[in-house]
């Protein structure tokens, strides 16, 4: 359960991450055109072009994936008492973090990827927040936040 996680990872994985995923779902579903245009921060007039129905469907499907991840995280972290399940879930998310950041940075190019002062809210989510989550996942898995606690007993495992 989330209560088996040390306090900081519990806050990040069981509270902040689901909230951010739900925010991504809302943006993809209810502001689809901006969601698509803002993926690459740019003042290019190409970003102002209307997005195709295909692009809008893909964006909404991505939003659906965000909601799925939020629900899975909430369900897994709040129902299992097995810390091994939590750890393999966190490993899977860490792998997915890399698969999220790398294509974003690839499409931005190195110069724009490191020019954080020019990032828009989408770049902060796609790169900044995801790198923060990745680092938190890895440091949790390496034991930097202490040991997991036994569910409902307050004992260290």
């Amino acid at each position: 359960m989330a209560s088996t996680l040390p306090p900081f990872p519990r806050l990040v994985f069981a509270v902040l991450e689901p909230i951010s995923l739900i925010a991504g779902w809302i943006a993809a579903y209810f502001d689809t055109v901006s969601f698509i245009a803002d993926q690459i921060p740019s003042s290019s007039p190409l970003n102002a072009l209307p997005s195709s129905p295909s692009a809008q469907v893909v964006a909404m499907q991505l939003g659906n994936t965000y909601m799925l991840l939020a629900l899975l995280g909430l369900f897994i972290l709040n129902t299992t008492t097995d810390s091994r399940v939590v750890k393999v879930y966190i490993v899977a998310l860490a792998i997915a973090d890399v698969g999220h950041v790398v294509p974003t940075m690839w499409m931005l190019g190195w110069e724009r990827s490191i020019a954080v002062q020019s990032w828009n809210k989408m770049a902060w989510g796609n790169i900044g927040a995801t790198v923060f989550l990745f680092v938190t996942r890895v440091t949790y898995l390496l034991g930097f936040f202490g040991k997991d606690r036994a569910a409902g007993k307050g004992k260290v495992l």
Side-chain angles (χ1 to χ4, degrees):
M1 293 175 43
S3 61
T4 66
L5 290 167
F8 184 72
R10 178 180 22 201
L11 172 68
V12 171
F13 304 143
V15 179
L16 300 178
E17 186 169 25
I19 290 169
S20 72
L21 287 164
I22 291 168
W25 169 76
I26 289 169
Y29 258 76
F30 300 106
D31 194 12
T32 310
V33 173
S34 293
F35 181 84
I36 295 166
D38 289 345
Q39 291 299 316
I40 302 295
S42 173
S43 58
S44 167
L46 293 176
N47 273 11
L49 294 175
S51 54
S52 71
S54 293
Q56 291 182 37
V57 167
V58 170
M60 293 175 93
Q61 289 169 339
L62 176 60
N64 186 59
T65 304
Y66 288 159
M67 182 57 80
L68 171 66
L69 288 169
L71 293 172
L72 284 172
L74 289 170
F75 295 161
I76 290 168
L77 295 176
N78 289 294
T79 60
T80 188
T81 57
D82 187 344
S83 65
R84 294 172 303 171
V85 171
V86 172
K87 286 182 179 169
V88 297
Y89 167 71
I90 299 296
V91 167
L93 291 175
I95 293 167
D97 290 341
V98 174
H100 191 87
V101 171
V102 168
T104 303
M105 292 180 72
W106 184 10
M107 291 297 110
L108 280 174
W110 180 249
E111 293 300 319
R112 289 195 297 174
S113 293
I114 62 170
V116 296
Q117 71 279 4
S118 67
W119 287 0
N120 63 10
K121 63 185 176 190
M122 197 67 70
W124 276 105
N126 284 333
I127 300 171
T130 306
V131 168
F132 167 76
L133 289 167
F134 177 80
V135 169
T136 305
R137 292 187 220 292
V138 171
T139 53
Y140 161 71
L141 291 167
L142 292 174
F144 281 76
F145 298 109
K147 296 186 178 210
D148 288 346
R149 301 203 172 271
K153 296 181 179 93
K155 293 183 181 175
V156 174
L157 295 175

